[in-house]
Amino acid sequence: DVRQIAALLDDAITEARTIAGGLHPVTLDAEGLTFALRELAINVSRLSGISCQLDCPLPVLVADNAVATHLYRIAQEAVNNAVRHSHATEITIELTNVAEDLVALKVADNGVDLAEPPKRSGGMGMAIMQYRVRLIGGMLVIDSGPGRGTTIACQISGKSVT
């Protein structure tokens, strides 16, 4: 009984840490966004069974933690939309430095395009992503078409990017 209780407590502690990490997913260092996106991809693959990976060949540093957190939440919403609605088998999160002070975040899936969405549940995901991008002075582009899934791309520039 004691072993079973200890195992249940260990599981509860692990779950509490996971929840707490989701409340503030990006650590305060400049590389926190990359780490958080890598964890997002791992968790999505594990929980959904959909292949999700982070493509970030070179370090991308975002000095402003608020900006990094908004970028993470944009990626999280795009990934959640792909998992829930696209019938995708693969999702790729891409984070790159396009120029010295320009960061690009892209989430692409190989599922159905937005022209063929399942019945909408009144979700506000796209509006929230656009709101977050405006808050950080970025630009959001949504590209979707038959046979090529959906890509949500965001670019930001400025002092928050190093």
Side-chain angles (χ1 to χ4, degrees):
D1 287 343
V2 171
R3 284 188 188 126
Q4 188 176 17
I5 291 170
L8 289 171
L9 282 173
D10 189 44
D11 290 347
I13 290 168
T14 301
E15 185 66 25
R17 284 186 178 145
T18 300
I19 291 169
L23 295 175
H24 194 39
V26 180
T27 58
L28 293 176
D29 66 4
E31 291 184 54
L33 177 60
T34 303
F35 177 76
L37 291 174
R38 186 169 288 114
E39 289 297 309
L40 175 64
I42 290 167
N43 288 333
V44 167
S45 291
R46 183 174 51 86
L47 296 172
S48 72
I50 298 171
S51 172
C52 185
Q53 58 186 335
L54 174 65
D55 181 10
C56 184
L58 299 173
V60 175
L61 306 178
V62 179
D64 186 326
N65 192 261
V67 170
T69 300
H70 282 298
L71 287 171
Y72 174 83
R73 295 293 185 201
I74 291 165
Q76 184 181 43
E77 184 63 36
V79 167
N80 286 339
N81 285 346
V83 168
R84 279 192 228 120
H85 305 298
S86 75
H87 306 290
T89 58
E90 296 178 3
I91 301 169
T92 302
I93 305 167
E94 185 179 315
L95 183 66
T96 56
N97 275 86
V98 178
E100 185 176 316
D101 69 341
L102 184 65
V103 168
L105 170 70
K106 187 186 303 182
V107 177
D109 68 62
N110 68 346
V112 298
D113 66 309
L114 291 177
E116 308 170 15
K119 291 184 181 177
R120 303 213 98 182
S121 60
M124 295 185 48
M126 293 293 186
I128 291 171
M129 284 189 282
Q130 290 172 341
Y131 173 75
R132 286 184 181 278
V133 167
R134 281 194 308 273
L135 280 178
I136 60 177
M139 179 178 70
L140 186 74
V141 175
I142 301 167
D143 180 40
S144 186
R148 55 188 169 99
T150 300
T151 299
I152 296 175
C154 171
Q155 287 190 349
I156 63 154
S157 63
K159 291 183 271 185
S160 61
V161 178
T162 57

